[in-house]
């Protein structure tokens, strides 16, 4: 029989958890990781300096702020975010698979999972891979806006089972792209 998971404690303590992470004992190490990541990734430096696209939507969910790219028809992810819903329940469900020092977020989109994993305390660092240029820009912006630079290290890359180049089919909505 499935166990009911209550995400209310995470939702209600997210703001104070975020403040604790940003000011906590790992903040200096995160600043150093961010400095090294800037040296490593020209895409990251470029995204930090770039402006968001016109028409970006902003939502605040449980103390975290997210800017979302504009779209003709909002995706389910966009609708959930605009209604203040973050994937806390998913975080709780996946805890049985492993909680540890590092999380890999493959297809990180705009960072909802990456940021919640850090705030929930499920990872000390998240490596977030996002190949779509628009989503990557928003991912970097959301990391910076929430003060989580160095805790989440984004890369403008796709991860696959084989080496090489592929074609990314860009959908009209976030969360629906295909490689």
């Amino acid at each position: 029989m499935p166990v009911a998971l209550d995400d209310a404690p995470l939702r209600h303590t997210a703001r104070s958890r975020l403040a604790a992470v940003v000011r906590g004992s790992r903040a200096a190490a995160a600043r150093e990781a961010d400095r090294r990541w800037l040296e490593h990734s020209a895409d990251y430096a470029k995204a930090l300096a770039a402006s968001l696209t016109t028409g970006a939507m902003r939502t605040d969910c449980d103390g975290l702020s997210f800017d979302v790219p504009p779209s003709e028809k909002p995706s389910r992810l966009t609708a959930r975010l605009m209604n203040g819903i973050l994937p806390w329940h998913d975080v709780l469900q996946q805890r049985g698979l492993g909680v540890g020092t590092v999380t890999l977020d493959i297809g990180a989109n705009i960072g909802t999972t990456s940021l919640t994993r850090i705030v929930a305390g499920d990872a000390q660092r998240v490596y977030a891979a996002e190949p779509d240029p628009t989503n990557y820009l928003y991912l970097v912006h959301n990391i910076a806006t929430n003060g989580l630079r160095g805790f989440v290290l984004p890369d403008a890359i796709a991860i696959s089972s084989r080496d090489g180049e592929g074609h990314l089919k860009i959908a009209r909505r976030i969360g629906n792209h295909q490689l």
Side-chain angles (χ1 to χ4, degrees):
M1 176 186 234
V3 176
L5 299 171
D6 182 11
D7 65 357
L10 280 175
R11 286 186 289 110
H12 296 304
T13 61
R15 186 180 313 274
S16 59
R17 286 171 175 264
L18 175 61
V21 167
V22 171
R23 291 187 207 106
S25 60
R26 294 182 296 120
R31 284 190 298 275
E32 177 59 21
D34 185 68
R35 184 192 64 72
R36 288 192 318 268
W37 200 252
L38 275 167
E39 291 174 359
H40 164 77
S41 175
D43 290 326
Y44 182 48
K46 183 178 168 184
L48 281 170
S51 298
L52 296 180
T53 51
T54 304
M57 300 175 285
R58 168 156 288 186
T59 185
D60 293 310
C61 305
D62 305 325
L64 291 166
S65 296
F66 290 92
D67 283 298
V68 181
S71 63
E72 296 171 21
K73 182 179 177 187
S75 68
R76 286 180 38 200
L77 172 62
T78 301
R80 287 174 55 94
L81 277 172
M82 299 317 286
N83 286 315
I85 301 170
L86 284 173
W88 298 117
H89 194 264
D90 297 341
V91 167
L92 290 172
Q93 283 182 317
Q94 295 166 4
R95 277 189 169 165
L97 298 175
V99 174
T101 305
V102 173
T103 293
L104 302 176
D105 189 357
I106 300 170
N109 206 293
I110 64 169
T112 56
T113 298
S114 296
L115 276 62
T116 54
R117 288 262 178 231
I118 292 292
V119 171
D122 287 358
Q124 293 179 18
R125 180 144 305 123
V126 173
Y127 291 97
E130 176 51 53
D132 175 61
T134 301
N135 286 348
Y136 181 76
L137 173 65
Y138 280 77
L139 169 64
V140 170
H141 180 79
N142 290 332
I143 292 165
T145 296
N146 288 287
L148 294 174
R149 289 177 57 179
F151 291 100
V152 180
L153 300 174
D155 204 352
I157 191 168
I159 296 181
S160 175
S161 61
R162 51 186 188 261
D163 289 338
E165 293 184 20
H167 177 72
L168 182 65
K169 294 178 188 175
I170 305 294
R172 293 187 308 182
R173 306 184 272 182
I174 65 170
N176 293 320
H177 307 317
Q178 293 180 352
L179 183 64

